Structures are given as C-alpha cells and as structure tokens.
Amino acid sequence: ESSTTSRLILAKIALNMFVEHPIIGVGWNNFVDVMEQYDEFGASKSFRYPAHNMYLLVMAETGLIGIISYLALIYGIYKLHKNTIKRAGDVSVNNASAAALVSIIAILITGIQGWSFRADSIQAIIWINFGIICALNDRAKRYV
C-alpha cells in the first residue's frame, strides 16, 4: 500500500475515534494503543503509527476540548505577535517576531498531511517559536 493510502487509513481511524469520543477524545498519546478498535481496514495490525495530520491526531486524542484549546493557544500567540508589531519601535524585534510566526504557520500548514504531531522535534520548534514571540512581546513593552 502507498504512503497516501496509509495516511488516509490513519485519518479515517482518527475520525472514528473522534466520532466515538467527541468531547475528551481517547486520551493523550493513546492513538496507537486503541487504534485497533476503530480500524475498519485491519491496517493497525501491521501499521501502528499515529495519524499524520496534527489536527486529526489532537482531535482524536483530546476531543473538542483539546482541539479548541490548541487553536485558541495558536490564536493567542498570533494576537501577541500583532501586539508586538504595534508596540515595538525596533525593526529587529518586528522581524524576529514575524520570522517566528512564519515558522509556526509553515508547521501548521504542513501538519495537515505531512508528519505526526508526536515528533518531538516538531513540537520543540512550535514551543520555541511561541516562546520567542512571547519574549519579543515583553521586550516590545519596554518601547511604549
């Protein structure tokens, strides 16, 4: 089977999990442990990987509460970036904040079908860029 087929099967499993547990999901990091119960194709016997779509994985494991919280966090970081741009008198602060935001956006776009959100390196990049935007916002406060 192709990579695309595998990804689509994992996406279907994630959707099945979400439909069964829409509010709180199946539990953080439980996708692989319970995927057999939601696998209509039998692929989980030989292909035990989490969904390669960060949004579906977060929805399956944490439900509406988790995905709404995650999207709210991303929106909050975006608003913080906009505040930084408004306040900062230093072009380098604006550029650094914009670069961090572009990095986050690139990960959010490629996370639709590119890789598993479980990858520590991906999460580290997101959290480091969140931290950069927060720190730059704090620095921009000094310019006001």
Side-chain angles (χ1 to χ4, degrees), residues 6-103:
S6 300
R7 290 170 194 266
L8 290 173
I9 290 171
L10 291 172
K12 178 67 172 157
I13 292 170
L15 286 171
N16 290 343
M17 287 179 187
F18 177 71
V19 167
E20 283 278 320
H21 305 280
I23 305 300
I24 60 170
V26 296
W28 192 249
N29 287 335
N30 281 332
F31 187 93
V32 174
D33 296 334
V34 298
M35 69 189 289
E36 284 182 30
Q37 300 169 26
Y38 304 94
D39 183 8
E40 302 166 359
F41 307 100
S44 60
K45 290 179 175 71
S46 61
F47 193 76
R48 300 192 62 77
Y49 296 100
H52 282 56
N53 178 313
M54 67 186 274
Y55 306 101
L56 288 178
L57 184 61
V58 171
M59 279 177 33
E61 291 185 344
T62 63
L64 286 173
I65 292 172
I67 193 67
I68 290 170
S69 299
Y70 184 66
L71 294 175
L73 175 65
I74 292 167
Y75 179 73
I77 293 295
Y78 171 75
K79 294 293 284 183
L80 205 60
H81 163 75
K82 295 304 268 183
N83 264 347
T84 302
I85 298 298
K86 284 181 191 175
R87 284 193 230 167
D90 186 358
V91 174
S92 63
V93 170
N94 289 348
N95 290 343
S97 185
L101 185 67
V102 167
S103 177

